[in-house]
Amino acid sequence: MNSEIFNLIYSSKESFSSDLEAAISYARKAVDISRKSKLKEELAESLITLVHALSEKGNIDKVDDYLYEAIRILETIENSNILLKAYSALGTVYLKTGELDNALTAFKTSLDLSLKIDELDEKTKTLLGIGSVLALKKSYDDALNYSNLALEASRKSGDINSELKSLNNIGFIYNCLNRLDKAEESLNQCILLCNTRGYDNVLVTALDELGVICKKKGNGEKAEENWKKAIEFDTKRGESFYSIAPLLNLADYYFSIKKLEESKNYLQRARKLCIRTNSKLDLISIYELESKINEARGQYKEALKFYKKMHKLDKEIGDQDSVRELKEREYKIIQESKERLVALGHVGRAITETLDMETMVCNINKYAKEIFNFNIIGIAQYREEKREIAYEFFMEDGAIIPKFYSDVDNVSNLAGWVIRNKKSIVIQDTEKEVFKYVVCQEKIANRWGATGKMPRSILYNPLIVADKIIGIFTIQSYSINSFSADDIESFKILSSYVAIGFNNALQSRKIKDQNKELLKLSITDSLTGLKNRRSFFDDLNLCWNWSFRTRAPLSVILLDLDHFKEINDTYGHPAGDYCLIEIAKILRRAIRRESDEVARLGGEEFGIFLGGTDNDGANTVAESILSEIRDFDFNFIGMDFKITASIGIKTVFPAIEHKIDIGEVISDADKALYEAKRSGRNCVVNFF
């Protein structure tokens, strides 16, 4: 890289934590010089640095063009190392604008690239980004897992900024889980390091989160002090995006103690920053608090105005059929049915605050009983690709019916009618009205029911998110005319809450499945499907501890294919890949116990550890592997070849040999492998 541009980029990054205007200025100079010199890689790196500086300042609306320009450049020159930084920066931008699904996609793209090229520094930032997104999506267990991985990786790489952000993120997640002591411990670590290292940007967010914890613990004055400190530190470095949270928290705190004027003042500061930084999610929170303040003052027209602003902003960021839209509905009828709407508000929060499907449906059933009189309740997902309705929950007279499915195109199916027509059903007497919706009057509920009784009053609503039907919600009664006009209107409102909660739970389930797959990919070699190097050493450490406790032996086998380069040179790299895949299959067959593990350590080198296996046992396994590899006939699209391997073994008793550690065991096995190579290859050598 051009030395002048390199120095400008370095200076920009160094200024992030103390002087944002300087950071932006250095990055702009790097961009200008790169453009004039027509240096593509330098331009891409400079643009990404400028994006980080601008987004740190909060000038989000200015960064999109820069980012996509960088990505277009990098895709033409195929520089994965810088491209993954661009996607990581894109994830950061989406995170700050509240576009969480887009942020997750960008971060996962960056993670895939970093895993392919084994780039530790950016992988750390990406893991941290994924953890932040999942925390905001309230998938706290997965968020904590990714944040801990980021903390571990940052400490290995010496990335202090990422270490501090990981500690801060972990503190936030523990706070959300109400594990306040753990949250405080993590945040205090972060603050101590920030004060000694001068990272004011992270210090601001850590002080803000500590303020939230103090408020939870009932220490409002300490919370107020922390939030004001956070704002003070951020103002020194040039008031940025990071001031929004403490400003908003102070406003909320003053509202809670009925200091409405102070609350309004801090809200106005926060709103100006949100507009400047395009922070839409925070702006929604500000509008929500503005409406509460106006309600407290009896200014209901103003309150309604802010509820409408919330609804409009939700539409802009693609937030699906949001809770704020429901609040507008509540406001319109608050004078007519105040008590019922208060109850519905509690129900809505209970439904939408959890991402767990089982908890959500239990909350729906529990609170629906307080509002309606019914005998049957059901919630189902519509699976469009299969044209089927899958009931996640169905209860009749207190008996939960096992999960079942129905055909959406069945003309005798009320739920199918709702989905096909995207309309609600209101039936007050099935004997007279059911023919409007189905071809023939079969038993509506007891086809799958527990009692054999016929429901006489039925309410069905489609669950709609972003104009798409995701399922249905129904309550039914054995009595005629069970549901009043208020019941029908309230059921519509409740169905909107259910749609949000149900969709969130479905998306959370999907994300958890994706995260499991992503975590699996992060510890797996993509070519062979074996564990990768990092996972091998993590698991070896666990096996070492187990061997120490049980006083059992532990054997480590290192295997390297002989003259593998000749396979690639003679038959091509696809043949080499085929060879590695077949070798992996042989090694898998040789490892039969759960305490044993095989991994690809890199290139043509493989590692095996055998828990509870002495040297004789390890030799037996090694000789068997060697023999099978030697005898195997490799055939790749008509090309036949043979290959052999060399093996080094080290056996140790961790409980007895106190002075030796895992690093020495690996080193000794490697020496044995080297001796096997020196001795003519195609053999097993033990290190004693």
Side-chain angles (χ1 to χ4, degrees):
M1 176 178 283
N2 178 287
S3 60
E4 184 181 5
I5 297 170
F6 174 83
N7 289 331
L8 285 167
I9 290 172
Y10 178 80
S11 298
S12 177
K13 290 178 179 177
E14 286 294 297
S15 303
F16 276 8
S17 61
S18 57
D19 189 345
L20 285 174
E21 291 300 336
I24 293 168
S25 177
Y26 286 129
R28 286 194 190 281
K29 286 179 183 176
V31 169
D32 290 343
I33 294 169
S34 300
R35 276 198 208 284
K36 288 175 183 175
S37 305
K38 297 183 179 180
L39 299 170
K40 286 189 176 182
E41 286 194 13
E42 284 85 345
L43 177 56
E45 186 93 43
S46 301
L47 286 166
I48 292 165
T49 306
L50 179 58
V51 164
H52 277 300
L54 288 170
S55 60
E56 192 82 2
K57 178 74 174 173
N59 299 338
I60 302 296
D61 56 326
K62 300 178 182 179
V63 304
D64 282 359
D65 290 341
Y66 295 139
L67 257 180
Y68 286 111
E69 182 183 357
I71 290 171
R72 283 195 300 271
I73 292 168
L74 293 166
E75 285 175 342
T76 60
I77 61 177
E78 298 182 352
N79 187 323
S80 297
N81 192 43
I82 307 177
L83 185 60
L84 65 90
K85 293 180 185 178
Y87 278 109
S88 179
L90 186 61
T92 301
V93 171
Y94 281 136
L95 181 61
K96 289 180 178 178
T97 58
E99 298 168 85
L100 300 183
D101 289 334
N102 289 338
L104 196 59
T105 300
F107 281 131
K108 285 183 176 179
T109 303
S110 178
L111 183 61
D112 287 342
L113 287 167
S114 64
L115 290 172
K116 284 179 183 176
I117 64 174
D118 200 24
E119 212 290 333
L120 181 59
D121 286 346
E122 206 60 38
K123 183 170 75 172
T124 302
K125 295 182 179 69
T126 304
L127 288 168
L128 179 60
I130 293 173
S132 300
V133 174
L134 293 173
L136 291 174
K137 282 178 166 284
K138 300 182 181 179
S139 185
Y140 297 125
D141 290 339
D142 292 327
L144 192 59
N145 189 17
Y146 277 102
S147 297
N148 278 317
L149 285 173
L151 179 62
E152 178 189 342
S154 64
R155 285 172 172 168
K156 282 182 181 177
S157 65
D159 184 348
I160 300 297
N161 194 37
S162 293
E163 180 182 356
L164 293 171
K165 288 182 178 179
S166 299
L167 285 168
N168 188 53
N169 217 34
I170 290 166
F172 169 75
I173 296 163
Y174 277 132
N175 183 16
C176 294
L177 294 169
N178 280 320
R179 296 174 65 180
L180 302 186
D181 290 338
K182 293 285 287 182
E184 207 164 359
E185 177 188 340
S186 184
L187 290 168
N188 281 328
Q189 280 186 58
C190 179
I191 290 167
L192 180 63
L193 281 170
C194 284
N195 282 325
T196 56
R197 302 297 182 95
Y199 282 84
D200 289 351
N201 57 331
V202 187
L203 181 59
V204 173
T205 56
L207 284 167
D208 173 61
E209 196 63 29
L210 197 58
V212 175
I213 293 169
C214 291
K215 186 184 176 187
K216 276 189 177 181
K217 288 187 169 184
N219 192 343
E221 291 181 1
K222 189 66 177 174
E224 182 182 7
E225 179 187 333
N226 281 316
W227 289 326
K228 286 183 176 179
K229 277 184 184 177
I231 296 165
E232 180 186 343
F233 277 114
D234 197 47
T235 303
K236 283 180 183 176
R237 63 192 283 268
E239 195 173 49
S240 73
F241 168 86
Y242 294 103
S243 285
I244 296 173
L247 285 168
L248 191 50
N249 282 325
L250 270 171
D252 188 56
Y253 170 66
Y254 285 131
F255 175 77
S256 70
I257 59 175
K258 296 186 168 44
K259 291 187 176 182
L260 301 185
E261 199 57 41
E262 288 92 334
S263 178
K264 191 90 172 175
N265 290 338
Y266 279 105
L267 268 185
Q268 286 173 352
R269 285 181 63 183
R271 191 194 314 141
K272 286 178 183 177
L273 263 180
C274 283
I275 292 168
R276 196 192 84 199
T277 62
N278 200 30
S279 180
K280 294 177 181 177
L281 276 184
D282 290 313
L283 198 54
I284 286 173
S285 299
I286 289 168
Y287 289 152
E288 184 175 18
L289 190 50
E290 291 266 23
S291 64
K292 288 179 180 178
I293 292 171
N294 282 299
E295 281 183 6
R297 289 174 163 174
Q299 297 169 341
Y300 296 111
K301 285 186 178 179
E302 284 296 304
L304 183 58
K305 181 178 78 174
F306 284 110
Y307 279 135
K308 286 181 177 178
K309 284 186 176 182
M310 290 160 57
H311 170 57
K312 182 181 177 182
L313 199 52
D314 272 344
K315 291 280 187 183
E316 286 180 19
I317 64 174
D319 209 2
Q320 302 153 331
D321 202 11
S322 67
V323 176
R324 272 72 64 178
E325 183 181 357
L326 299 178
K327 287 186 180 290
E328 284 189 30
R329 297 184 197 175
E330 289 176 18
Y331 190 87
K332 290 176 184 177
I333 59 173
I334 196 166
Q335 299 304 321
E336 300 174 4
S337 52
K338 187 174 181 180
E339 289 184 6
R340 179 177 285 256
L341 288 173
V342 168
L344 279 170
H346 290 307
V347 175
R349 283 191 292 276
I351 292 169
T352 57
E353 71 184 0
T354 179
L355 296 177
D356 179 70
M357 181 68 76
E358 186 175 346
T359 303
M360 188 207 64
V361 295
C362 287
N363 284 340
I364 292 170
N365 181 52
K366 174 186 173 183
Y367 290 106
K369 284 179 180 177
E370 297 177 7
I371 302 172
F372 311 103
N373 291 315
F374 59 84
N375 304 102
I376 298 167
I377 182 170
I379 304 163
Q381 178 188 4
Y382 171 45
R383 297 176 176 173
E384 187 176 7
E385 69 284 357
K386 294 184 178 180
R387 301 287 294 170
E388 72 177 11
I389 304 165
Y391 279 83
E392 292 285 344
F393 178 76
F394 197 91
M395 178 180 282
E396 184 173 355
D397 273 0
I400 296 177
I401 311 303
K403 190 170 182 176
F404 63 93
Y405 305 85
S406 61
D407 183 358
V408 75
D409 296 312
N410 184 346
V411 292
S412 298
N413 186 321
L414 287 174
W417 187 95
V418 171
I419 290 172
R420 291 193 306 273
N421 293 277
K422 212 173 182 179
K423 292 180 181 178
S424 302
I425 285 178
V426 177
I427 294 175
Q428 298 287 20
D429 185 348
T430 51
E431 290 187 1
K432 295 178 180 178
E433 301 173 54
V434 75
F435 297 106
K436 298 176 186 176
Y437 308 103
V438 296
V439 171
C440 59
Q441 183 183 2
E442 298 180 15
K443 292 183 178 181
I444 304 301
N446 69 315
R447 284 178 293 176
W448 53 75
T451 65
K453 297 178 184 177
M454 169 72 77
R456 300 298 298 273
S457 299
I458 298 174
L459 298 182
Y460 265 100
N461 267 336
L463 300 179
I464 299 176
V465 171
D467 204 37
K468 181 179 180 181
I469 291 188
I470 63 165
I472 58 95
F473 179 37
T474 183
I475 55 173
Q476 305 174 17
S477 169
Y478 298 141
S479 302
I480 296 173
N481 296 317
S482 286
F483 305 120
S484 67
D486 277 348
D487 287 332
I488 294 166
E489 183 61 29
S490 296
F491 185 65
K492 287 181 182 178
I493 295 172
L494 180 61
S495 296
S496 298
Y497 280 119
V498 171
I500 296 167
F502 192 52
N503 186 60
N504 288 345
L506 289 172
Q507 294 303 316
S508 176
R509 181 193 287 172
K510 182 179 178 182
I511 287 170
K512 283 183 178 179
D513 291 342
Q514 289 172 341
N515 286 333
K516 286 177 185 176
E517 184 62 28
L518 189 61
L519 195 58
K520 181 182 175 184
L521 289 173
S522 72
I523 62 172
T524 304
D525 174 58
S526 59
L527 177 64
T528 62
L530 298 176
K531 292 288 186 74
N532 61 19
R533 186 182 190 88
R534 191 199 81 181
S535 179
F536 177 78
F537 283 104
D538 287 346
D539 293 345
L540 177 57
N541 189 59
L542 295 175
C543 190
W544 180 278
N545 293 334
W546 172 83
S547 299
F548 184 86
R549 290 195 308 272
T550 59
R551 305 182 71 81
L554 170 63
S555 293
V556 174
I557 298 173
L558 296 183
L559 179 150
D560 192 85
L561 298 178
D562 299 331
H563 304 298
F564 180 73
K565 185 175 182 299
E566 293 179 8
I567 299 294
N568 282 331
D569 292 345
T570 305
Y571 303 103
H573 286 280
D577 289 347
Y578 156 76
C579 178
L580 292 171
I581 291 167
E582 293 301 322
I583 293 294
K585 292 177 183 177
I586 291 171
L587 297 180
R588 275 201 200 93
R589 289 195 291 270
I591 306 305
R592 298 192 178 99
R593 301 178 309 175
E594 288 186 8
S595 59
D596 303 337
E597 187 167 300
V598 58
R600 183 185 176 199
L601 303 183
E604 64 269 29
E605 185 178 9
F606 297 84
I608 298 169
F609 64 76
L610 308 171
T613 302
D614 60 15
N615 190 254
D616 289 342
N619 270 286
T620 300
V621 172
E623 290 290 355
S624 172
I625 290 170
L626 212 61
S627 175
E628 190 168 354
I629 292 173
R630 186 191 304 121
D631 295 339
F632 192 85
D633 294 319
F634 293 88
N635 181 283
F636 180 71
I637 55 174
M639 295 181 288
D640 297 322
F641 57 88
K642 306 282 278 186
I643 198 167
T644 59
S646 300
I647 292 177
I649 299 175
K650 172 66 178 180
T651 299
V652 66
F653 284 80
I656 298 171
E657 301 173 62
H658 298 292
K659 293 183 180 180
I660 194 168
D661 59 23
I662 292 176
E664 290 178 73
V665 171
I666 295 297
S667 176
D668 290 345
D670 197 48
K671 288 173 185 175
L673 175 59
Y674 176 77
E675 182 60 28
K677 292 283 189 183
R678 199 177 65 82
S679 301
R681 297 180 170 81
N682 191 23
C683 63
V684 177
V685 172
N686 292 271
F687 187 96
F688 295 104

